[in-house]
Structure formats: structure tokens, C-alpha cells
């Protein structure tokens, strides 16, 4: 069987590792780690530091058909690494799947955003994602996929771990009452990415729930599922009016069985 060779940059992280676990039984899958030494003895993993190492060396070792970029780290170094990735894409038949964010639209607050809307961000993080997206859009369309994702939840997600810790330590939990979002979880997100890779899909994808929810309501419902807790909530108002931070699918919708709703994500959370 001609197995695709996949390289996940940031495979020791929350999102990258969830993708690794989803793909490794089906593809010849490799990943990078930086500080998380628990991957050091795994033959499929290579150590890579954005700020010190040249991504070319990793690419030469793995010779991937598909690269999935799920990194954090120094912003200028991320830009340079992705510039080098573009050069590799031009020279080879490889494709790049980039984990972007709904924050590429964080300057728009009055409505949700769709795949082909113009990006605009007020945050340094959102602008970094836009810069890398724009580099990708200059390449032929069949070489790249931009995957814009909202906040990712799931039983093992850092966001849920943080909530559990706050409950345990009786610390207040921040909620944003007038922020309207969509959300996703690690399980559905990685199934969606698996599907896109299987089908050789490229373009722009909004991989979040199909519906919207208020941040405060979502967090309270998730906590309701974790157990009979009554934490203190710190209600943070950033504006007086409702504000949207949501990237919804319209042009590139996934098959029904791969979509997810906010309620399914809430129900997915198990008692502590
Ligand atoms: N989590 C979310 O809710 C969410 C939402 C939207 C978009 N995203 C995007 O998804 C991607 C992954 O996020 P995540 O939540 O999975 O983050 P994470 O758990 O912090 O993982 C980040 C990954 O990047 C690696 N890394 C950090 N600094 C590095 C450096 N200097 N050189 C090389 N590798 C480095 C980490 O390696 P070590 O751990 O081994 O040091 C880890 O593998 C990011 O691009 C993020 O913007 C995440």
C-alpha cells in the first residue's frame, strides 16, 4: 500500500498530538517536539526548535507528502519557518495544512465570518495567522489548506484542565457574557482533518461547530456536565454590545456525519 508520509509540526502539543493519534495508524506519521522530552525516545518524533533549527533539515529527513503545522512559539521565527515551508512546497508535490484560528477575524465583532470573507485582526496573534495564511494563498490552491479553528475543548484539553483546577482551588472562572462563539473538540477536529487528508482536500475550511453559543452559557453548561459544582464566575465585559468571534462554514461544508454542534461538545464532557 502506498502510505502517505505525514509530518506534524508541534506533535507534542495538545492539537498536534491529537492529530498524531488520529492519523498514526493509517499513515506513515512523523512529528516534532520541542521541550516535551517524553517524545524523545519515540522513533517517529524529531526534536525541532523554531528559533534554533532550520526546518529544511527536518523536511529532508522525513520527506513528507503532507505537512501539518500546529506550532506555537516566537512569532518572527514562526514566520520564517513557514517561509521555508513555502519554498519546500514549491519544489515538491507536498501539501501544507495550517492550523489557523478564528482570530483572523477578530476585528469584526458584529457578525460571524465565512471562508472567503476578508481577514482583519486587531490582535498580534490574529495578525501572525493572517500573515502565514497570505503566504499560503500565493501558492497554487492545490498545495495548501487553511484550517481555521475556534477554541478547542475536550476532556484532556488545557482549557478543561484549567477549569477543573479552578474548581478544585475555589478560584473564580472567567466568562465573557457578551461574547458569541463557536467551539470544537479534539475528537471531531481530528476526524475532520483525517477526512480532508484522505480526500486530498485543499482550500479554506472553518472547522468549528455549525452553531453559535454565548461563552458564559457554554462554560456553565460544560461545568454542569463535570459535576455538581457551584464555582464563582468572574464575568468579564469587553464591550457593551454582543461581540462575535466565530468562523462558520458556508462554501466548504463537510459531510453531515463530520459536523458538530455546541450541544454535542457540551455533552461530550465527562464528570470529573
Ligand atoms: N488550543 C486551541 O484552542 C487552539 C485554537 C485555535 C488555534 N489553535 C492553534 O493550534 C496550534 C496548536 O495549539 P495547541 O493549543 O496545541 O498549543 P500547544 O499545546 O502549546 O502546542 C504547541 C506545540 O508547539 C511546539 N513549540 C512551542 N514552541 C516551539 C519552538 N520554539 N520550536 C518548536 N516547536 C515549538 C510545542 O512543543 P513542546 O510542547 O514539545 O515544547 C508543541 O508541540 C497553534 O498554532 C494554535 O494557534 C489552537
Amino acid at each position: 500500500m502506498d502510505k502517505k508520509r505525514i509530518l506534524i509540526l508541534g506533535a507534542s502539543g495538545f492539537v498536534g498530538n491529537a492529530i498524531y493519534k488520529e492519523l498514526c495508524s493509517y499513515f506513515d506519521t512523523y512529528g516534532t517536539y520541542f521541550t516535551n522530552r517524553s517524545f524523545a525516545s519515540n522513533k517517529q518524533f524529531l526534536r525541532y526548535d523554531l528559533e534554533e533549527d532550520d526546518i529544511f533539515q527536518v523536511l529532508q529527513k522525513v520527506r513528507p507528502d503532507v505537512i501539518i503545522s500546529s506550532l506555537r512559539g516566537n512569532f518572527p521565527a514562526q514566520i520564517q519557518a513557514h517561509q521555508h515551508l513555502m519554498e519546500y512546497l514549491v519544489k515538491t508535490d507536498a501539501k501544507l495544512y495550517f492550523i489557523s484560528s478564528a482570530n483572523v477575524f477578530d476585528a469584526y465583532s458584529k457578525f460571524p465570518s465565512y471562508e472567503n470573507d476578508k481577514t482583519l485582526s486587531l490582535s498580534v496573534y490574529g495578525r501572525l495567522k493572517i500573515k502565514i495564511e497570505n503566504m499560503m494563498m500565493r501558492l497554487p490552491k492545490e498545495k495548501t489548506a487553511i484550517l481555521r479553528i475556534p477554541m478547542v475543548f475536550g476532556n484532556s484539553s488545557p482549557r478543561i484542565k484549567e477549569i477543573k483546577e479552578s474548581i478544585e482551588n475555589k478560584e473564580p472562572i472567567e466568562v465573557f457574557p457578551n461574547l458569541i462563539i463557536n467551539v470544537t473538540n479534539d475528537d471531531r477536529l481530528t476526524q475532520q482533518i483525517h477526512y480532508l487528508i484522505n480526500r486530498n482536500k485543499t482550500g479554506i475550511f472553518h472547522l468549528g461547530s455549525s452553531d453559535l453559543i454565548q461563552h458564559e452559557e457554554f462554560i456553565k453548561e460544560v461545568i454542569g456536565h463535570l459535576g455538581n459544582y457551584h464555582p464563582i464566575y468572574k464575568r468579564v465585559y469587553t464591550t457593551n454590545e454582543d461581540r462575535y468571534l466565530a468562523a462558520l462554514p458556508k462554501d466548504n461544508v463537510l459531510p453531515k456525519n463530520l459536523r458538530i454542534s455546541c450541544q454535542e461538545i457540551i455533552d461530550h464532557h465527562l464528570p470529573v
Side-chain angles (χ1 to χ4, degrees):
M1 207 175 78
D2 186 18
K3 267 194 183 178
K4 268 185 193 140
R5 205 191 282 260
I6 297 189
L7 171 65
I8 303 165
L9 304 173
S12 54
F14 166 57
V15 172
N17 198 245
I19 301 172
Y20 181 86
K21 285 186 185 146
E22 169 71 24
L23 301 181
C24 68
S25 320
Y26 303 92
F27 302 101
D28 193 10
T29 313
Y30 297 82
T32 67
Y33 69 96
F34 170 40
T35 55
N36 190 335
R37 302 289 308 170
S38 64
F39 295 92
S41 59
N42 186 327
K43 286 198 306 290
Q44 302 302 110
F45 277 72
L46 294 90
R47 187 170 186 280
Y48 166 61
D49 174 4
L50 269 175
E51 293 187 57
E52 292 294 330
D53 305 324
D54 190 337
I55 190 75
F56 274 127
Q57 281 165 1
V58 179
L59 295 168
Q60 264 165 2
K61 272 191 202 139
V62 178
R63 289 181 292 105
D65 305 304
V66 173
I67 304 160
I68 302 170
S69 164
S70 183
L71 290 165
R72 291 201 196 263
N74 176 276
F75 287 4
Q78 278 198 51
I79 290 169
Q80 198 186 27
H82 286 85
Q83 263 157 358
H84 288 170
L85 285 174
M86 301 304 140
E87 289 167 31
Y88 180 80
L89 297 182
V90 170
K91 283 192 283 191
T92 65
D93 289 330
K95 288 183 177 22
L96 173 66
Y97 286 72
F98 174 62
I99 308 292
S100 188
S101 159
N103 278 84
V104 297
F105 298 114
D106 67 19
Y108 303 114
S109 58
K110 292 203 182 325
F111 30 76
S113 303
Y114 300 95
E115 295 92 330
N116 292 307
D117 290 350
K118 193 177 151 38
T119 54
L120 189 66
S121 170
L122 294 172
S123 65
V124 192
Y125 172 67
R127 287 193 194 134
L128 164 80
K129 294 290 191 190
I130 291 176
K131 198 157 187 167
I132 295 173
E133 284 193 1
N134 287 346
M135 284 184 211
M136 295 173 71
M137 286 182 199
R138 288 194 279 272
L139 294 187
K141 191 189 156 283
E142 69 278 5
K143 290 209 170 262
T144 67
I146 291 169
L147 314 180
R148 296 191 185 124
I149 63 173
M151 292 181 200
V152 187
F153 291 85
N155 285 315
S156 63
S157 65
R159 291 175 197 279
I160 292 296
K161 280 188 192 154
E162 210 179 291
I163 288 177
K164 287 177 180 170
E165 274 170 26
S166 301
I167 293 174
E168 235 165 66
N169 302 332
K170 301 192 170 17
E171 285 162 0
I173 294 169
E174 271 194 357
V175 290
F176 299 84
N178 50 14
L179 182 66
I180 301 168
I181 54 174
N182 66 339
V183 286
T184 191
N185 70 15
D186 45 355
D187 290 346
R188 184 46 53 92
L189 173 68
T190 57
Q191 288 165 358
Q192 292 172 334
I193 294 174
H194 192 162
Y195 165 86
L196 295 175
I197 292 173
N198 261 346
R199 301 288 168 107
N200 290 315
K201 298 269 188 196
T202 55
I204 301 175
F205 296 88
H206 284 183
L207 303 181
S209 57
S210 323
D211 55 348
L212 300 168
I213 190 162
Q214 276 178 331
H215 183 270
E216 178 178 17
E217 187 189 340
F218 180 77
I219 297 295
K220 285 185 169 172
E221 289 222 27
V222 166
I223 292 173
H225 266 254
L226 295 178
N228 186 18
Y229 299 110
H230 302 282
I232 316 148
Y233 290 100
K234 183 178 163 195
R235 306 177 95 214
V236 184
Y237 290 89
T238 49
T239 52
N240 289 328
E241 287 159 26
D242 277 351
R243 189 164 70 89
Y244 287 87
L245 185 60
L248 290 175
K250 182 161 68 180
D251 302 309
N252 281 336
V253 286
L254 297 180
K256 254 203 181 106
N257 63 312
L258 284 174
R259 293 179 213 158
I260 194 159
S261 66
C262 296
Q263 194 58 48
E264 283 171 84
I265 294 165
I266 292 164
D267 294 343
H268 209 78
H269 285 94
L270 305 170
V272 183

